[in-house]
Amino acid sequence: MAEICKMKFKEVNDRIIKLTLSLFLLNFSQLAVAQVTQDSISLSLEEAWNRANTYSKEIRLRGLDKEIGKENVINVKRQRLPHVEVEGSYGQLSNIPIFVDGIRNDAEYIHLEDHTTYNAGVQAYFNIYNGNKTNLQISEAETRQELLTYLEEETASAIHYRVAEAYLDMQRSMEFKQLILQNIERNEKRLDQITKLYENGVVLKSDLLRAKLQLSRQQTNLLEMKNNVELATQSLNILVGFEDEQPIKPVDSIQVNMLKAEQTYRDYVNDALEVSPRSRIAEKQIEMRELQEEELKADKLPRIGLFGDYTYSYPQIQLYPYETAPYLLGIAGIQLTYDLSALYHDKHKEEAAKIAVERQKLEQQNTEDQLRKGVKASYKHLQEDLEKIEIAKMNIDQAQESYRIVNQTYFNQLSLLTDLLEADTQLLQAKFELVNNRISARLHYYQLLKITGEL
């Protein structure tokens, strides 16, 4: 009798502990939900992209590069203006030694009456023709500016995709968390039923232990999902400029029905090859190589320009007879320059530039190959995900029916608890797969938009 009382007391104690723990978890969950609801920020994916455009450091860096490019274009255009220099000097002349008997013997000196010398002048040069090199440099600067614009677009597209990854990862973890909470609630109810059956001697203690273990596993999974939500939220917060711990409530649905009515595969390929930033970057890089080749050819052409040089100096020792007096000397005219050494110095440079153009064209072809591969992979994966979604829905219906049947047969003592727990796990897994497939479909869709330059 004492042993029976002791066992009854232990069982009652276990039930009290379990009930206390359940109440604690329930209160904690309600408190956590209330806190998140109070402090969380509702955010759509479109709003997240807009914030990333403002707060992303990588996009801002590309923007600054583009501003530098604008200034470089203006600077190169200013090279068409005349080059003007002013100069001035002041000094003291020494007496002039004359080595009558050679430099090894003492010199005789010519003593100057005034040792002062100074001059001030202005020089100007206006380019008329330099082999069209200035125009080529302007075209190169403008092409580089366009290249920087496309690089900024590519960076923005990449950041948008990373934002979508973090946003969808957060949504996945939140969906998993809700499914686990529902499963925990179902496990708790089942555990209560099994506990009553055990107390009445209907089921074995092993069933009770298995049910408790199943509940403990799901509670551990719940903790993992909570951590995953926090990690994904932090990643998203960094990208969109929020504080690390700022809770976010996603408002976009994970449904993917609207993706079925999008463009065809051929449309995506055409967009990738014609309007995507990567395709335009490859085109501009070829243009820059061609302009650099033309600049080297321009070095072999003559340069013609107007020049002027006006100098105010003292004393007058430029022309004979000399005078100890200030004088003004001015000269203006046209200047023709031709660099003969460019005929042999630039020969191999031109060959290297020509090869660089061919290499860049081959690089463009490689880029197009990669774009087509990326489009096809993303498009096929998207279609595959859409098929998996339909299959997952059917799996859920089947798993729910299987769980219902096994649940009834178990409590009618016609099946084992292991069968019931397996059916429960399969139902949860089927729901996980549906969420995973929906998230995967959206992610592949955004990947497709990123490749085609539409994200």
Side-chain angles (χ1 to χ4, degrees):
M1 179 64 68
E3 186 68 24
I4 294 175
C5 292
K6 184 177 181 182
M7 291 178 62
K8 290 290 183 180
F9 176 80
K10 183 177 180 182
E11 290 173 1
V12 171
N13 188 42
D14 289 343
R15 293 187 64 185
I16 292 173
I17 293 175
K18 183 175 73 66
L19 180 60
T20 304
L21 180 60
S22 299
L23 291 173
F24 172 77
L25 290 174
L26 179 61
N27 291 333
F28 178 79
S29 300
Q30 291 175 347
L31 180 62
V33 170
Q35 184 67 22
V36 170
T37 304
Q38 180 181 358
D39 299 334
S40 62
I41 295 177
S42 297
L43 188 71
S44 68
L45 188 53
E46 188 70 30
E47 292 170 341
W49 286 337
N50 292 333
R51 287 190 61 87
N53 291 337
T54 303
Y55 293 98
S56 171
K57 294 180 177 61
E58 295 180 41
I59 296 178
R60 290 165 61 188
L61 287 172
R62 288 300 185 187
L64 292 176
D65 288 339
K66 192 169 70 172
E67 293 299 320
I68 293 173
K70 289 181 181 179
E71 296 300 323
N72 287 335
V73 171
I74 297 173
N75 176 63
V76 176
K77 288 182 177 180
R78 293 288 177 89
Q79 299 305 309
R80 287 175 170 169
L81 300 176
H83 291 265
V84 181
E85 296 180 5
V86 294
E87 62 178 1
S89 66
Y90 173 84
Q92 291 290 317
L93 298 173
S94 65
N95 292 325
I96 303 174
I98 304 297
F99 297 93
V100 178
D101 299 325
I103 60 175
R104 294 185 178 181
N105 298 310
D106 294 338
E108 297 178 2
Y109 286 89
I110 299 177
H111 295 276
L112 303 177
E113 295 181 3
D114 188 353
H115 293 269
T116 302
T117 178
Y118 57 82
N119 72 77
V122 58
Q123 298 177 354
Y125 180 83
F126 178 71
N127 175 57
I128 297 177
Y129 176 76
N130 65 343
N132 202 38
K133 194 168 183 177
T134 301
N135 290 334
L136 291 172
Q137 290 174 343
I138 293 173
S139 297
E140 183 181 357
E142 290 174 342
T143 303
R144 182 178 289 107
Q145 172 64 14
E146 293 175 0
L147 175 63
L148 291 172
T149 299
Y150 295 134
L151 286 172
E152 183 184 33
E153 291 178 4
E154 184 186 35
T155 300
S157 183
I159 293 298
H160 287 181
Y161 181 71
R162 285 167 54 187
V163 169
E165 279 186 312
Y167 191 92
L168 293 174
D169 191 22
M170 181 179 64
Q171 282 188 302
R172 185 202 333 263
S173 298
M174 287 181 173
E175 292 287 336
F176 284 177
K177 177 183 171 183
Q178 292 303 316
L179 291 175
I180 293 174
L181 284 171
Q182 294 172 8
N183 187 264
I184 288 176
E185 183 179 358
R186 186 165 61 247
N187 273 270
E188 288 175 342
K189 291 179 180 178
R190 184 170 59 243
L191 180 59
D192 288 338
Q193 292 175 311
I194 294 175
T195 301
K196 292 177 182 178
L197 292 176
Y198 172 71
E199 291 172 350
N200 295 325
V202 178
V203 299
L204 299 175
K205 188 174 182 179
S206 59
D207 284 5
L208 181 62
L209 294 176
R210 286 193 183 97
K212 289 182 177 179
L213 180 59
Q214 180 79 351
L215 178 60
S216 299
R217 286 174 178 171
Q218 294 307 327
Q219 289 170 343
T220 303
N221 290 336
L222 177 61
L223 177 60
E224 181 182 354
M225 286 304 110
K226 289 179 179 178
N227 291 336
N228 290 342
V229 170
E230 291 182 6
L231 293 174
T233 302
Q234 183 191 34
S235 299
L236 182 60
N237 284 335
I238 291 174
L239 289 169
V240 300
F242 288 138
E243 296 294 331
D244 284 9
E245 305 303 324
Q246 174 61 54
I248 293 178
K249 179 183 178 181
V251 298
D252 287 3
S253 171
I254 64 172
Q255 300 293 331
V256 293
N257 294 332
M258 80 292 187
L259 303 184
K260 296 181 180 180
E262 292 298 329
Q263 306 176 73
T264 64
Y265 166 70
R266 182 51 54 187
D267 294 331
Y268 284 121
V269 171
N270 291 337
D271 288 344
L273 297 181
E274 294 176 7
V275 299
S276 70
R278 286 185 61 188
S279 177
R280 305 301 291 274
I281 288 171
E283 292 176 1
K284 293 304 173 182
Q285 287 174 334
I286 291 177
E287 289 183 25
M288 289 186 60
R289 291 296 186 183
E290 291 174 341
L291 289 170
Q292 291 168 1
E293 183 183 13
E294 292 298 321
E295 283 186 46
L296 287 174
K297 292 180 180 179
D299 288 339
K300 291 183 178 181
L301 299 175
R303 297 185 294 275
I304 303 174
L306 300 175
F307 73 94
D309 187 354
Y310 293 88
T311 305
Y312 179 81
S313 302
Y314 173 87
Q316 193 289 107
I317 56 176
Q318 181 76 21
L319 302 172
Y320 187 81
Y322 307 139
E323 292 287 342
T324 308
Y327 74 99
L328 177 65
L329 178 64
I331 181 173
I334 186 169
Q335 179 178 329
L336 172 65
T337 306
Y338 187 81
D339 186 4
L340 292 174
S341 62
L343 296 175
Y344 51 87
H345 277 164
D346 295 346
K347 180 178 180 180
H348 295 288
K349 290 182 182 179
E350 290 182 20
E351 289 297 325
K354 184 178 180 180
I355 295 172
V357 172
E358 295 301 320
R359 183 188 184 282
Q360 202 60 56
K361 290 180 179 179
L362 186 61
E363 187 69 30
Q364 182 190 33
Q365 295 175 9
N366 183 58
T367 299
E368 291 177 353
D369 292 342
Q370 297 303 317
L371 286 173
R372 291 199 307 274
K373 285 176 60 179
V375 169
K376 188 163 189 177
S378 298
Y379 187 83
K380 290 298 182 182
H381 286 316
L382 174 58
Q383 300 303 316
E384 181 182 327
D385 291 333
L386 295 177
E387 292 289 338
K388 288 182 177 179
I389 288 173
E390 300 303 321
I391 295 174
K393 290 179 180 178
M394 291 188 292
N395 287 340
I396 290 176
D397 293 338
Q398 183 179 357
Q400 285 178 335
E401 181 62 18
S402 176
Y403 176 79
R404 184 187 67 80
I405 294 172
V406 177
N407 187 62
Q408 289 181 353
T409 56
Y410 172 76
F411 286 104
N412 291 329
Q413 300 297 302
L414 298 176
S415 63
L416 300 175
L417 180 62
T418 53
D419 297 331
L420 177 58
L421 296 182
E422 183 179 356
D424 180 78
T425 302
Q426 288 177 351
L427 176 58
L428 182 62
Q429 186 63 36
K431 292 180 178 179
F432 279 177
E433 287 179 1
L434 178 59
V435 173
N436 262 330
N437 292 331
R438 283 173 171 170
I439 296 295
S440 180
R442 293 187 68 88
L443 196 57
H444 282 126
Y445 174 68
Y446 294 133
Q447 189 176 44
L448 197 56
L449 295 184
K450 172 180 173 291
I451 296 172
T452 56
E454 299 176 12
L455 188 60

